[in-house]
Amino acid sequence: MNRVSRSVLLTAVLAVLLVGGIVVSAIVGQLAVSPAEVVGSVLRGLGIPNQWAPTDPIVESTLWVVRFPRIAMGLAVGAALAVAGAVMQAIFGNPLAEPGVVGVSSGAALGAAIGIVVGVTVLGTGGTALFAFAGGLGATLLVYLVSRANGRTEVVTLLLTGIAVNAFAGAGLAFLIFIADSGSREQIVFWQLGSLNGSLWSEVVVVVVVAVIGTIAAVVLGRRYDLLALGERNARHLGVNVEALRVGSIVLVALLTGVAVAFCGIIAFVGLVIPHVVRMIIGPAHRGLIVASAAGGGVLMVYSDLLARSVVPGADLPIGLLTSLIGGPFFFFLLFRQRRRSGGWA
């Protein structure tokens, strides 16, 4: 099967999984909702009268106030994190780069926690998001500056830098939890666990806008990422301003990760797993890779959230826990594959 056929097949599979995940997520919950009611409610929301729309106002409110915002948030956050992971792997030239692994998510969570403690929440969710972006940007710049040597990023240096950033951010979060009041303490614990619970349409709009703009920007830069994969010297000869590309991409990664963490907390490994799976199916060309990663990230988040809501009756598990259970083994697989290829950890 050639690359075009694989791309078409992947698009069809993602579309089916996406539609199926959205419908099932809207149906499943403590209040039973039929598939016909879901479809009818959506059609009525689009201004199309139909006989399937729910007559019970409680069902209508459950769909539009609780479940639909949560589904939309999962799609947007999954897309943002997956695109951020694909961009990080492109600019670092390293398959192990991912916002959660190298500490970008932890830095964004630390920034959000600082915003909560100093009281920027009185300005609305935008203040917390701004602090999360600043924390993610600082962590990304630190990882970039420390892990690069002689024009390339070493695997061991990248991982050690990520460990250090995660450790520092963890210590900072622990200190903030210690000095915070009870309300702020609960919010900070939320950032550490990660959850889509309580998503609001006002928050969804912000994340969707950032995710769409970030994905478009990454697709526009896709050709340059392809040239960068040939090596820095070759990319420069072909007209790519490598440092400007990297700095701009770092800001893009911080923006995508920061907005996701600001509203949903730390959700790790989405940016590691999805770009790798997509790359194995359709190849390394970055434009197609980024678009498919955005869709795949949304699919992963929708099904992870569905599992988080239904695996334990009456409980809502942290979605960050489930994505780590999926991504952890995959990360080990990548580490051992890297070791076999290079003959050692360095």
Side-chain angles (χ1 to χ4, degrees), residues 1-20 277-278 281-282 287-296 299:
M1 184 179 294
N2 59 33
R3 186 177 64 85
V4 175
S5 299
R6 292 197 301 270
S7 299
V8 172
L9 178 61
L10 178 62
T11 302
V13 171
L14 288 175
V16 171
L17 289 175
L18 191 60
V19 173
V277 173
V278 172
I281 297 174
I282 66 173
R287 286 185 174 175
L289 172 66
I290 289 167
V291 173
S293 293
V299 169

Side-chain angles (χ1 to χ4, degrees), residues 6-327:
R6 292 197 301 270
S7 299
V8 172
L9 178 61
L10 178 62
T11 302
V13 171
L14 288 175
V16 171
L17 289 175
L18 191 60
V19 173
I22 292 173
V23 173
V24 174
S25 295
I27 294 171
V28 174
Q30 296 182 2
L31 178 64
V33 181
S34 69
E37 288 178 316
V38 173
V39 174
S41 181
V42 172
L43 291 176
R44 184 163 62 187
L46 296 174
I48 303 175
N50 63 91
Q51 59 182 356
W52 304 307
T55 57
D56 189 344
I58 296 178
V59 173
E60 188 79 355
S61 297
T62 298
L63 288 175
W64 287 98
V65 176
V66 179
R67 296 185 185 174
F68 287 160
R70 185 166 180 158
I71 293 169
M73 180 66 83
L75 293 172
V77 168
L81 293 175
V83 171
V87 171
M88 284 196 75
Q89 291 167 17
I91 61 175
F92 281 101
N94 194 302
L96 301 180
E98 191 266 345
V101 173
V102 300
V104 181
S105 295
S106 297
L110 179 60
I114 293 173
I116 292 170
V117 172
V118 300
V120 298
T121 50
V122 298
L123 302 175
T125 54
T128 305
L130 182 61
F131 272 73
F133 167 71
L137 178 61
T140 310
L141 287 171
L142 180 62
V143 169
Y144 172 70
L145 294 174
V146 174
S147 64
R148 288 192 61 77
N150 300 321
R152 61 193 299 264
T153 306
E154 296 290 347
V155 176
V156 172
T157 308
L158 180 68
L159 295 179
L160 291 177
T161 305
I163 291 172
V165 172
N166 280 317
F168 176 80
L173 286 168
F175 175 74
L176 292 172
I177 290 173
F178 179 77
I179 66 173
D181 55 43
S182 58
S184 298
R185 190 177 297 120
E186 291 178 1
Q187 286 184 279
I188 295 172
V189 171
F190 162 80
W191 302 127
Q192 292 179 290
L193 297 176
S195 175
L196 301 178
N197 190 26
S199 297
L200 303 175
W201 281 117
S202 59
E203 300 172 346
V204 170
V205 170
V206 175
V207 181
V208 168
V209 170
V210 173
V212 170
I213 294 175
T215 301
I216 293 173
V219 170
V220 171
L221 295 173
R223 178 61 178 167
R224 299 180 190 180
Y225 294 143
D226 291 339
L227 296 177
L228 184 61
L230 301 175
E232 288 190 23
R233 181 175 299 178
N234 291 331
R236 287 194 179 95
H237 285 314
L238 293 171
V240 177
N241 187 333
V242 174
E243 290 306 314
L245 175 62
R246 284 206 171 104
V247 172
S249 297
I250 286 172
V251 175
L252 178 61
V253 168
L255 182 63
L256 291 169
T257 306
V259 75
V261 172
F263 296 113
C264 299
I266 300 175
I267 302 174
F269 291 110
V270 175
L272 178 71
V273 174
I274 295 301
H276 270 284
V277 173
V278 172
R279 191 179 290 110
M280 288 188 291
I281 297 174
I282 66 173
H286 280 89
R287 286 185 174 175
L289 172 66
I290 289 167
V291 173
S293 293
V299 169
L300 177 61
M301 286 293 291
V302 167
Y303 281 95
S304 296
D305 183 56
L306 176 62
L307 187 62
R309 292 192 290 117
S310 58
V311 67
V312 178
D316 197 337
L317 293 179
I319 193 171
L321 178 126
L322 295 179
T323 57
S324 295
L325 288 176
I326 297 171

